[in-house]
Amino acid sequence: MAIAWPLWIAAYVALDYVSFIDSYRGLAITPWNPSAGLAVALVMLRGLPSAPVVLVAPVLAGILVRGGMVPASVHLVEGVLFGGSYLVVGLLARRSVAFDSRLLTPRHTLLLMAAAFGASAMAAFSYDAVLILAGILQPAEIPDAFLRFFVGDLIGMLIVTPALLLLWHRRMPAPGWEMIPQVATMVLAFGAIFALPHAREFQLFYLLFVPLLWFSFRGGVAGAAAALCLIQVGLVVAVSLRQDALADLVSFQMLMVSLAATGLVFGSLIDQQRAASLRLRQQQVALGRALRLRSMGEIATSIAHQINQPITSIRTYAGIAREALQAGKVDDAVATVVRIRSECDRASAIIRATRDVVRQEAVRPQPVRAEELLENVRELLVDRLGSVQFVVGVAPDVRTVVCDPVQVEQALYNILDNAIDAIETTGSPGTVSIDVASDGQSVEFTVTDSGPGFAPEMLDYGVTPLVTTKAKGTGIGLSIARSVAEVHGGSLSIASDAGGTTVKLRIAQTGTTADEHGSTG
């Protein structure tokens, strides 16, 4: 980096030379001081090792650019004071944990603006003090000289420093086709400002806000920094061509400060909004991934929950078959093997039905006798009934039910299984009843148990996946029942009190069968 120090010094002197326009009494007080912005940016980027460059460059600029306008000793002192001001403020900003030279947030931009304000005030105050002590300025001239120097340095820092910081971090926008109309708009604004009669009063200066906000909206704070550099160069060129354009210097400077501050703040807000939108999209992607993982977990839990039942039955029947064979009861063994095959078919049907739900395929409705449906469910639960009395009631007008029998049997099994578990927690015999009724449009299965009922807070959750009151429950049983009801065009409702729980499973009766729906394989 030491090899580049001469280049930094040369750049400082060159910027001081090109900006030495309409100076105040030939002193280092100009409408725009970009070299100050270069010095502050160097300190913020390189820290204390840049001190020799920042202290030497202003001295050389004073001697080479302004020559004998003031004594050499004044150039030496003013250069050290300028550089010292830029060095102190730059180091304070660099060491602040709240400041990031990449200007990623409005906070960082505001801190940069505050640093520019401090450095400009410090340099202006020290310069005026030197000029007063040297007898170059009179006390009455101090306010005007201070204001012009302060604002000139401030403009240079607000424009050059952020541009250099963003360029260093490779955040400046790359040239594109859109820049052509943007620059064209800027040129038209300059033409209106300096060609119309009122240009000297800066009444049309606000036209420059149009291209500035355009750059800022498209490129954020980097776009604003690029636009401000172009605007400042354009103003310097215009002033060089029209010597009377700076008749009201203070007004020009204030307008430039407001332009720079507006562009930087607006661009930072645009960056913040885009960063927030990006974080929101990333959170949405992460949420979607989490939901997919949860759905996969629920599906796996559902399969495990449902397949466990036929597997348990197969294990039980296998033991019965073995005992029958050992006892020489071949007929009983054959009948048990038939039941094992039936349970295997049931497991296969459960997997197929689960696959259809995952693939969001239609159910396979077919007419089935209500008594047969309930008897199949009762057989699945026969080993669990024990001291629980099972009561079935089917209304006379309900002969057949049009549904997917595998899914509806599974839903009823889950509801009855919960009811039996609830009764067993009481340690006393109980009753589970299931009544079937129809209103012509739907069939309603009402399961009532004499258990302790749900706690009120559990009812507040409703039928929520993975929420359960069982110590070893999966929280998926009623959720599956509700899904089955919904895919059949119905619903699931729960009512509970201290006397027990009533669960109503309603399914719509479409009157169509699987053949009429067509194959969904």
Side-chain angles (χ1 to χ4, degrees):
M1 186 65 189
I3 301 177
W5 291 143
L7 297 178
W8 282 96
I9 295 175
Y12 186 99
V13 174
L15 287 176
D16 195 76
Y17 174 78
V18 298
S19 63
F20 193 63
I21 301 172
D22 197 54
S23 66
Y24 181 76
R25 292 182 51 187
L27 301 171
I29 301 176
T30 58
W32 176 45
N33 187 10
S35 54
L38 175 66
V40 173
L42 177 60
V43 177
M44 288 181 174
L45 291 173
R46 306 306 300 172
L48 192 59
S50 64
V53 177
V54 175
L55 293 174
V56 170
V59 176
L60 292 178
I63 296 174
L64 297 176
V65 175
R66 291 178 291 280
M69 296 180 181
V70 295
S73 58
V74 174
H75 285 308
L76 177 62
V77 174
E78 74 181 26
V80 173
L81 291 176
F82 292 169
S85 300
Y86 308 148
L87 183 65
V88 170
V89 174
L91 289 176
L92 289 176
R94 177 181 173 85
R95 295 183 180 182
S96 173
V97 295
F99 178 71
D100 189 330
S101 60
R102 294 174 296 175
L103 306 182
L104 299 176
T105 68
R107 180 185 183 185
H108 301 146
T109 301
L110 292 175
L111 287 174
L112 173 62
M113 295 169 65
F117 186 93
S120 301
M122 189 181 302
F125 178 80
S126 60
Y127 187 47
D128 279 3
V130 170
L131 295 178
I132 288 290
L133 293 175
I136 299 173
L137 281 182
Q138 299 301 315
E141 297 175 302
I142 293 178
D144 190 28
F146 176 86
L147 181 62
R148 294 191 181 205
F149 185 93
F150 165 72
V151 178
D153 261 23
L154 182 61
I155 292 173
M157 294 181 197
L158 291 180
I159 294 175
V160 175
T161 302
L164 290 177
L165 294 179
L166 294 169
L167 186 63
W168 180 271
H169 293 294
R170 300 180 180 179
R171 292 194 60 207
M172 291 297 283
W177 288 106
E178 189 177 8
M179 190 172 290
I180 296 177
Q182 290 173 333
V183 174
T185 304
M186 194 177 295
V187 172
L188 291 175
F190 278 124
I193 293 171
F194 290 97
L196 296 179
H198 296 293
R200 290 182 62 182
E201 300 175 8
F202 300 101
Q203 293 182 1
L204 299 178
F205 199 86
Y206 65 87
L207 292 176
L208 289 174
F209 281 95
V210 176
L212 173 63
L213 296 180
W214 188 352
F215 270 88
S216 302
F217 183 78
R218 299 297 294 172
V221 70
L228 289 171
C229 289
L230 292 175
I231 289 173
Q232 189 63 71
V233 171
L235 287 173
V236 171
V237 172
V239 167
S240 300
L241 297 177
R242 248 187 84 173
Q243 296 297 325
D244 62 338
L246 292 180
D248 189 354
L249 177 61
V250 176
S251 296
F252 168 80
Q253 288 181 305
M254 292 303 178
L255 288 169
M256 197 60 214
V257 168
S258 64
L259 193 73
T262 300
L264 293 176
V265 172
F266 184 77
S268 296
L269 292 174
I270 291 296
D271 282 345
Q272 184 182 48
Q273 187 273 334
R274 289 176 178 171
S277 298
L278 177 60
R279 286 195 299 270
L280 179 60
R281 289 194 296 270
Q282 292 173 340
Q283 290 171 354
Q284 289 174 337
V285 171
L287 179 60
R289 186 181 300 113
L291 290 176
R292 287 194 297 272
L293 291 174
R294 176 175 177 177
S295 297
M296 292 172 59
E298 291 179 1
I299 292 170
T301 304
S302 172
I303 294 174
H305 177 85
Q306 297 180 74
I307 293 297
N308 182 63
Q309 299 154 10
I311 289 178
T312 301
S313 298
I314 291 172
R315 178 182 176 86
T316 301
Y317 289 140
I320 294 174
R322 182 184 61 186
E323 294 175 356
L325 289 174
Q326 290 175 346
K329 300 178 180 179
V330 178
D331 292 339
D332 291 344
V334 171
T336 305
V337 170
V338 171
R339 285 184 173 273
I340 292 176
R341 179 174 180 177
S342 176
E343 289 300 314
C344 291
D345 292 340
R346 178 167 171 258
S348 176
I350 289 173
I351 294 176
R352 184 172 60 252
T354 304
R355 181 202 64 185
D356 292 344
V357 171
V358 172
R359 293 172 58 183
Q360 297 183 346
E361 294 188 359
V363 296
R364 294 181 172 83
Q366 62 187 59
V368 58
R369 291 178 57 250
E371 289 84 355
E372 179 182 350
L373 193 69
L374 298 181
E375 181 60 27
N376 289 340
V377 176
R378 186 182 184 283
E379 288 185 5
L380 295 174
L381 292 166
V382 65
D383 294 333
R384 295 220 43 218
L385 291 178
S387 60
V388 177
Q389 184 180 4
F390 188 75
V391 180
V392 175
V394 180
D397 58 339
V398 182
R399 295 183 179 179
T400 59
V401 179
V402 179
C403 65
D404 186 321
V406 174
Q407 293 191 25
V408 173
E409 286 178 11
Q410 185 62 50
L412 292 174
Y413 177 93
N414 292 344
I415 296 171
L416 292 167
D417 182 61
N418 284 343
I420 295 172
D421 284 339
I423 294 173
E424 289 179 344
T425 61
T426 65
S428 304
T431 302
V432 175
S433 63
I434 178 167
D435 298 301
V436 186
S438 174
D439 59 7
Q441 300 297 321
S442 62
V443 173
E444 186 173 82
F445 298 85
T446 302
V447 179
T448 305
D449 66 67
S450 59
F454 283 103
E457 57 270 20
M458 290 302 300
L459 290 178
D460 292 339
Y461 282 108
V463 182
T464 304
L466 307 182
V467 175
T468 179
T469 58
K470 301 179 184 179
K472 298 182 179 181
T474 62
I476 203 73
L478 288 179
S479 180
I480 293 172
R482 182 189 62 182
S483 299
V484 170
E486 290 175 349
V487 298
H488 282 79
S491 61
L492 183 76
S493 62
I494 302 175
S496 182
D497 55 32
T501 300
T502 299
V503 180
K504 294 184 178 182
L505 175 72
R506 178 184 293 270
I507 60 175
Q509 294 300 281
T510 61
T512 57
T513 65
D515 293 336
E516 292 170 318
H517 277 276
S519 175
T520 59

